[in-house]
Amino acid sequence: MSSRTLTPVSYLVLGLIAERGPATPYELKRRVAGSVGHFWTFPHSQLYAEPARLAREGLLAEQREPAGRRRRTYRLTDAGRGALRRWLAEPTTGSVELRDPGLLKLFFAGQADDEELARLVATQEAAHRARLREYERIESGLAVDQRSRYALATLRMGLRHEQAAVSFWREVSGWLLPGDDAA
Amino acid sequence: MSSRTLTPVSYLVLGLIAERGPATPYELKRRVAGSVGHFWTFPHSQLYAEPARLAREGLLAEQREPAGRRRRTYRLTDAGRGALRRWLAEPTTGSVELRDPGLLKLFFAGQADDEELARLVATQEAAHRARLREYERIESGLAVDQRSRYALATLRMGLRHEQAAVSFWREVSGWLLPGDDAA
DNA sequence: CTCCGTATCGTCCAGGTCGGACGGTTTGGA
DNA sequence: TCCAAACCGTCCGACCTGGACGATACGGAG
């Protein structure tokens, strides 16, 4: 019941349980995999540590299975629901970084020769294109019901980002590389 | 001289020194602030810890100032330059996550009421619009010389991302909120 | 000359985060 | 009966994070 400031992962766990009911850490892991994990990942060890912290603070209630099982199920407490709703209502802080290793390499591309740069550009464009296709596939498979409205919306932001990235990498070699300008 | 696998921060430090010469941690901090810090931030404590690690591994050489000053200057060793070039040449791994707190809130917006959602949408659109303007300002101020070609390119990716985000948040309320559709 | 505000410069630390190694358990099929 | 695969969980060292804290330099106001 102490008072650390909750992290995004905290709210992720609270939110996942609020929306789809009580869960074990393993179940959380699977919920993450199919949804929010697309734009916000973390190792599964977090999904064991964080609920334990939240339970200590009274935001989740822990229920052990009867026998000598290791399984624990967490459900939301009123305090937990309150914390989640307060977070949703409060002004959004925090940075929106684009931690893209490909972009970091591009930033330092002056240290590489043109051939390496060309290879970087090609692989990045291909990677983003692949991700774009994957998102499109997921989108077409997502039911357009009430339940998944918000998941669908976030997915669409991912789609737009990948579209931007694909067109960026397609054009960037024109800005940077000499020779191959068809103009 | 051990053999941990270098992190992106490692290459950031190596790259910054490779491009603009030897530096003290504080100088690194300022180089970061004006450039790559726009899309990849980290606390300044990293800029003290990481060069120390790199020096231990022989990728940087540390030079203390004569007198009892605390100042240390780091310069690139041949091994360091080699590591940087190898990284630039190797296939790019690593995820491209969109860790946007606003997006995370949107994902769980089912737990909030419409008024809160509307407020979230409004503030997010405004925030991205502000960032977009800031990037445009920086872009117009960036000299189009050889030195800053790559910095300019990465900035443009940031620009496109913000454009995508602005249009996303402008449209999202139309998908999600009932009432106010002008159609 | 002294004082003070502002920039410069650096250390330290408690937590959170990371990826992955490792191991036990359950289930279903050969 | 046995094995493989999926299921489920713990643990760990290293790293990252944000910020508190403080020392030092320097210019200008009084």
Side-chain angles (χ1 to χ4, degrees):
Chain A
M1 204 55 100
S2 69
S3 60
R4 62 160 178 152
T5 45
L6 300 182
T7 69
V9 192
S10 311
Y11 295 113
L12 181 91
V13 169
L14 292 176
L16 242 24
I17 295 181
E19 298 217 314
R20 306 208 226 157
T24 66
Y26 189 76
E27 170 63 17
L28 280 178
K29 178 189 165 189
R30 281 195 298 169
R31 291 182 189 176
V32 164
S35 59
V36 71
H38 289 303
F39 69 93
W40 200 311
T41 71
F42 30 69
H44 65 276
S45 55
Q46 289 274 33
L47 279 326
Y48 289 87
E50 187 60 34
R53 280 192 286 263
L54 293 172
R56 237 189 289 127
E57 293 158 344
L59 303 182
L60 291 181
E62 182 181 322
Q63 180 175 9
R64 306 191 106 87
E65 243 181 46
R69 296 301 200 70
R70 278 175 297 177
R71 224 161 180 158
R72 274 152 301 174
T73 300
Y74 295 95
R75 61 178 177 72
L76 210 56
T77 64
D78 288 343
R81 188 172 297 275
L84 180 60
R85 293 192 52 101
R86 236 174 296 121
W87 172 68
L88 284 168
E90 94 198 358
T92 305
T93 70
S95 49
V96 202
E97 290 167 40
L98 234 44
R99 295 211 176 187
D100 181 339
L103 225 45
L104 189 61
K105 279 192 185 179
L106 180 61
F107 189 85
F108 291 121
Q111 302 299 310
D113 52 44
D114 284 350
E115 191 196 338
E116 281 166 9
L117 176 55
R119 206 159 46 225
L120 173 66
V121 170
T123 58
Q124 286 300 115
E125 185 187 339
H128 283 289
R129 202 181 288 280
R131 231 182 205 248
L132 178 57
R133 271 198 296 267
E134 187 199 342
Y135 285 174
E136 284 168 344
R137 193 176 46 72
I138 296 174
E139 186 191 18
S140 68
L142 253 189
V144 225
D145 59 6
Q146 292 303 90
R147 304 276 327 257
S148 44
R149 276 158 87 208
Y150 303 100
L152 182 59
T154 56
L155 181 64
R156 292 224 249 255
M157 181 61 228
L159 261 160
R160 298 202 178 197
H161 174 72
E162 294 304 331
Q163 283 164 351
V166 167
S167 93
F168 170 77
W169 286 103
R170 200 177 34 209
E171 293 172 32
V172 78
S173 73
W175 307 339
L176 298 177
L177 260 12
D180 57 22
D181 53 328
Chain B
M1 203 58 98
S2 68
S3 61
R4 63 162 177 150
T5 44
L6 301 182
T7 68
V9 192
S10 312
Y11 295 112
L12 182 92
V13 170
L14 291 176
L16 242 25
I17 295 181
E19 298 216 314
R20 307 207 227 158
T24 66
Y26 190 77
E27 170 63 18
L28 280 178
K29 179 189 165 187
R30 281 195 299 168
R31 291 183 189 177
V32 163
S35 59
V36 70
H38 289 304
F39 70 95
W40 200 312
T41 71
F42 30 70
H44 64 276
S45 54
Q46 287 276 32
L47 279 328
Y48 288 87
E50 187 60 34
R53 279 191 288 264
L54 292 171
R56 238 189 289 128
E57 293 158 344
L59 303 182
L60 291 181
E62 184 180 322
Q63 180 175 8
R64 307 190 104 88
E65 243 182 46
R69 297 299 201 72
R70 279 174 296 177
R71 222 161 182 158
R72 274 151 301 175
T73 300
Y74 294 95
R75 60 177 178 73
L76 209 56
T77 65
D78 288 344
R81 188 171 297 276
L84 179 61
R85 293 193 51 103
R86 236 175 293 121
W87 171 68
L88 284 168
E90 93 199 359
T92 305
T93 69
S95 49
V96 200
E97 290 166 41
L98 234 46
R99 294 213 176 187
D100 181 340
L103 225 45
L104 189 61
K105 279 191 185 179
L106 180 62
F107 189 86
F108 291 121
Q111 302 300 310
D113 52 45
D114 283 351
E115 190 197 339
E116 280 166 9
L117 176 54
R119 206 159 46 224
L120 172 66
V121 170
T123 58
Q124 286 300 114
E125 185 188 338
H128 283 289
R129 200 181 289 280
R131 232 184 205 246
L132 179 56
R133 270 198 296 266
E134 187 198 343
Y135 285 173
E136 282 167 344
R137 194 177 45 74
I138 296 173
E139 186 192 18
S140 69
L142 253 189
V144 228
D145 59 6
Q146 292 303 89
R147 302 279 325 258
S148 45
R149 276 159 86 208
Y150 304 101
L152 182 60
T154 56
L155 180 65
R156 292 225 249 254
M157 180 63 228
L159 261 159
R160 298 201 179 197
H161 173 74
E162 295 303 330
Q163 283 163 352
V166 167
S167 93
F168 169 79
W169 287 102
R170 198 176 36 207
E171 293 171 32
V172 78
S173 72
W175 308 338
L176 298 177
L177 259 14
D180 58 21
D181 53 328

